[in-house]
Amino acid sequence: MAGGPHERWGNQLEYLLSCLGYAVGIGNIWRFPYLCYRNGGGAFLIPYFLTLLICGIPLVYLETFLGQFASAGCISVFNINPLFKGAGYATVILNVVALIYFSSIMSYPMLYIYHSFTVPLPWQTCGNSWNTEKCAEITGNFSLVSNGSITTPEDEFFHIRLLRMSPDLYHVGGMVWPVFWCNLICWIIVYFCICNGVKSVGKIVYFTVLFPYVVLLALFIRGITLPGAWQGIKYYVLPDWNQLAKPKVWADAATQLFYSLGPGWGGLICMASFNRFNYNNLRSSIIIPLVNSGTSIWAGFVVFSVLGFAAERAGVPVGQVARAGPGLAYVTYPAAVTMMPAPNFWAITFFVMLFFLGIDTMFVTIESVIAGLVDEFSYLRARKKRVTLVTCMVLFCLSIICNTEGGLHIIGLLDTHVAIVCVPVVCGLELIGAVYTYGPKKLSRDMLFMTGQPLKPFWFILWRYIVPVLLFIIAAYSLSDASGIEGWFVALISVICVPIHAILVLWQAKGSLMQRIQESCKPNKDWGPIEPEVRERWKALQNQDNTQVTSLHLSTIPFT
């Protein structure tokens, strides 16, 4: 094969841990617990797990199957339907935009780790040089904070001391140098971790994935022993069955699961492409979503046990100290830590955990971009280390815009809009390309060829009829969050590749428009197993009548 052999995992545990590191991220800490308590507590788990079973697991299974069968990244996997290959390029752009702001988010835990060695913690009191006249150490009525009459020292430390936050998106301001240097350090760490491809990533994830679970366990044990902890946990899980009648609750469950697992982002396809060809990916496709969801629920117990303690100390309801997004990780939780014994230790522990949760996601996201390009342009494979260096340098330069005083506003804009159109469209085109145009018969035959086990009919029921409807609902709900010219630009900058590439493909095809469409929807010559010997057997199998595909034929395939 041109460009050298395709990389493989050292063992399947490396694959499983890498996928877990990709799926389990900062969102499990700062988004899911808030959504759960806001949408009915324990009752929210009903739509959440229902969506997991009928949408999350089927999408993970389909993507990992396609990536493993063709040993293809997010671009080349669309050789199954070349008309939709623009979705692969859209995925690359989606990940580039995500990395631009996510690397800056990863700078924040590094800054907090550095400041957590200061005694007392710098966000613990007012009276510092960066504090304003509104600053007040809250021990009572938090309602004053919500109406803007006062601010907390934790809030001012994050927004004024660390970020020097500008008033709005249109005031970018100057460079915030501490964030810039931490961003640079983050990219240096990432490069040296991924420079040797899956050989290095596969070894590093043993620590970066497992260590956060050790920290979560320590935080959980400490959290539930704090005064008021069980009040917070009760607030987190107490079912409010009336919430289930609200469509928004179901939409929130689907959206959270959808974006947490990562289908449509290319990471799952990329990781599966490094599997052994005959690996049975069904079990891992179930384990990954279940562990991801279980981690989200467990993180909720950790977070709300501490918030319950903070609420009791402040003398207010738990709901007044709970918030979503970065505020939970960088304002509310630090505030709670200051009330705990040995606050410096627990602050360092928490932010180290956040860093490792985020760095795993960055590993896979960057590898998705690189693998997508290298698989599509095979001559780059022999120069992959150089491609990795250039990619990291370019992404770092692009991310500098988020290191400015207006960086948090830019991060909010990108995070809110980057995936709302692209991800549902990419998943939808994957389903159309694999299930509708390629067809259930060929898919089942390929799975039988690859693993020795055919696809069960209920998978096709989910892929053909259930998942597309949920994708449409998720897309419609997500689009309701789009706002402003800037938001729509970010939302469409990646997905515009889909129609542009389709037009180019149809322009180069021959015949009538319908003939061009039909021909362009057929798999091209590059679709199929990448290993030469396996590919020859697969082609031979294709030429036989499907009724003759028996275990006798499959016995000639070297499943090693």
Side-chain angles (χ1 to χ4, degrees):
M1 185 187 67
H6 194 77
E7 293 180 274
R8 299 295 179 191
W9 295 111
N11 56 66
Q12 295 307 139
L13 181 58
E14 293 179 4
Y15 162 69
L16 184 63
L17 289 176
S18 297
C19 287
L20 288 176
Y22 177 60
V24 178
I26 294 178
N28 296 73
I29 302 295
W30 76 26
R31 179 172 168 80
F32 176 84
Y34 177 82
L35 285 177
C36 189
Y37 108 82
R38 191 186 70 180
N39 289 310
F44 179 73
L45 299 180
I46 294 177
Y48 182 75
F49 277 105
L50 187 61
T51 307
L52 172 73
L53 294 176
I54 65 176
C55 183
I57 292 177
L59 281 174
V60 171
Y61 189 34
L62 178 65
E63 287 204 344
T64 54
F65 162 48
L66 295 176
Q68 179 180 313
F69 179 78
S71 296
C74 58
I75 300 176
S76 298
V77 76
F78 281 97
N79 287 330
I80 196 172
N81 188 318
L83 185 65
F84 297 157
K85 207 167 189 177
Y89 292 101
T91 303
V92 171
I93 296 176
L94 168 69
N95 283 297
V96 167
V97 175
L99 286 165
I100 289 173
Y101 72 84
F102 196 79
S103 63
S104 291
I105 292 178
M106 292 309 303
S107 302
Y108 303 160
M110 297 178 69
L111 285 170
Y112 268 93
I113 292 169
Y114 170 77
H115 287 286
S116 294
F117 286 95
T118 304
V119 181
L121 291 169
W123 60 82
Q124 195 164 350
T125 60
C126 294
N128 301 290
S129 59
W130 60 82
N131 290 128
T132 67
E133 295 180 354
K134 289 185 176 182
C135 182
E137 298 170 28
I138 303 301
T139 57
N141 191 357
F142 266 71
S143 63
L144 295 175
V145 179
S146 62
N147 63 30
S149 60
I150 61 173
T151 56
T152 64
E154 299 82 16
D155 186 277
E156 292 196 351
F157 177 80
F158 179 57
H159 292 106
I160 300 176
R161 170 65 178 85
L162 290 189
L163 304 186
R164 302 208 312 265
M165 188 174 172
S166 67
D168 54 52
L169 179 66
Y170 305 103
H171 294 81
V172 176
M175 188 69 64
V176 182
W177 291 108
V179 177
F180 171 87
W181 294 118
C182 286
N183 187 29
L184 176 60
I185 294 171
C186 181
W187 277 108
I188 293 173
I189 294 173
V190 168
Y191 170 73
F192 281 107
C193 288
I194 69 171
C195 62
N196 291 318
V198 297
K199 292 181 180 179
S200 57
V201 173
K203 301 300 182 290
I204 292 169
V205 293
Y206 281 104
F207 177 75
T208 59
V209 173
L210 297 178
F211 177 75
Y213 283 95
V214 176
V215 175
L216 272 178
L217 178 61
L219 289 172
F220 174 73
I221 294 173
R222 182 68 188 110
I224 61 175
T225 59
L226 292 170
W230 290 102
Q231 190 65 28
I233 292 174
K234 179 181 177 182
Y235 193 85
Y236 167 54
V237 300
L238 187 65
D240 181 2
W241 303 111
N242 294 328
Q243 293 287 335
L244 294 180
K246 299 179 180 180
K248 189 176 185 303
V249 174
W250 293 82
D252 276 348
T255 303
Q256 167 62 15
L257 182 73
F258 196 81
Y259 293 116
S260 176
L261 284 178
W265 288 80
L268 295 171
I269 292 175
C270 171
M271 294 297 99
S273 73
F274 303 125
N275 280 336
R276 292 180 293 109
F277 179 75
N278 63 305
Y279 174 66
N280 190 340
N281 68 314
L282 175 58
R283 183 167 57 181
S284 60
S285 298
I286 297 174
I287 291 174
I288 293 165
L290 289 179
V291 173
N292 173 66
S293 300
T295 303
S296 296
I297 296 170
W298 186 22
F301 283 98
V302 173
V303 170
F304 272 85
S305 64
V306 176
L307 295 186
F309 165 70
E312 180 171 286
R313 286 287 301 272
V316 297
V318 179
Q320 291 189 23
V321 298
R323 63 173 76 186
L328 177 59
Y330 300 118
V331 177
T332 304
Y333 204 94
V337 165
T338 61
M339 304 176 190
M340 296 169 64
N344 296 78
F345 171 78
W346 294 110
I348 293 170
T349 302
F350 178 75
F351 290 114
V352 167
M353 179 190 68
L354 279 189
F355 179 78
F356 282 118
L357 285 174
I359 207 75
D360 287 325
T361 303
M362 285 191 68
F363 289 160
V364 179
T365 306
I366 297 171
E367 189 63 37
S368 301
V369 174
I370 296 170
L373 297 174
V374 168
D375 289 340
E376 183 65 14
F377 307 102
S378 58
Y379 62 88
L380 294 174
R381 184 166 287 118
R383 306 175 180 86
K384 186 176 179 181
K385 198 165 185 177
R386 190 179 304 171
V387 172
T388 301
L389 176 61
V390 172
T391 301
C392 288
M393 291 176 64
V394 171
L395 289 171
F396 165 69
C397 292
L398 292 174
S399 69
I400 291 176
I401 186 65
C402 295
N403 303 156
T404 60
E405 294 173 1
L408 193 61
H409 297 297
I410 297 172
I411 289 172
L413 172 70
L414 298 179
D415 184 50
T416 303
H417 295 88
V418 66
I420 59 176
V421 178
C422 186
V423 171
V425 167
V426 169
C427 287
L429 293 179
E430 287 172 353
L431 287 170
I432 295 173
V435 180
Y436 285 90
T437 61
Y438 191 64
K441 183 181 293 186
K442 292 181 180 178
L443 273 183
S444 189
R445 179 198 61 197
D446 290 346
M447 179 62 82
L448 183 64
F449 177 82
M450 185 171 72
T451 66
Q453 298 179 4
L455 285 165
K456 302 296 183 182
F458 74 88
W459 291 112
F460 292 107
I461 295 174
L462 292 172
W463 288 335
R464 288 176 71 94
Y465 307 112
I466 307 299
V467 178
V469 173
L470 288 174
L471 288 175
F472 178 80
I473 294 173
I474 291 170
Y477 173 73
S478 299
L479 283 172
S480 65
D481 292 332
S483 60
I485 297 176
E486 303 87 356
W488 282 103
F489 175 79
V490 173
L492 298 177
I493 191 174
S494 57
V495 80
I496 196 66
C497 295
V498 176
I500 290 176
H501 187 272
I503 291 171
L504 291 175
V505 169
L506 294 176
W507 181 266
Q508 295 170 358
K510 298 179 180 179
S512 64
L513 179 60
M514 186 56 64
Q515 290 173 332
R516 296 185 185 198
I517 293 175
Q518 291 176 345
E519 191 64 26
S520 300
C521 287
K522 295 179 181 178
N524 63 22
K525 61 182 178 60
D526 295 321
W527 171 252
I530 200 171
E531 298 173 7
E533 292 184 4
V534 178
R535 188 176 182 86
E536 287 302 317
R537 293 188 176 94
W538 176 69
K539 286 184 176 180
L541 189 63
Q542 280 186 302
N543 294 331
Q544 298 177 17
D545 185 83
N546 288 329
T547 60
Q548 297 177 344
V549 179
T550 64
S551 59
L552 180 63
H553 298 115
L554 291 173
S555 65
T556 64
I557 302 170
F559 292 118
T560 58

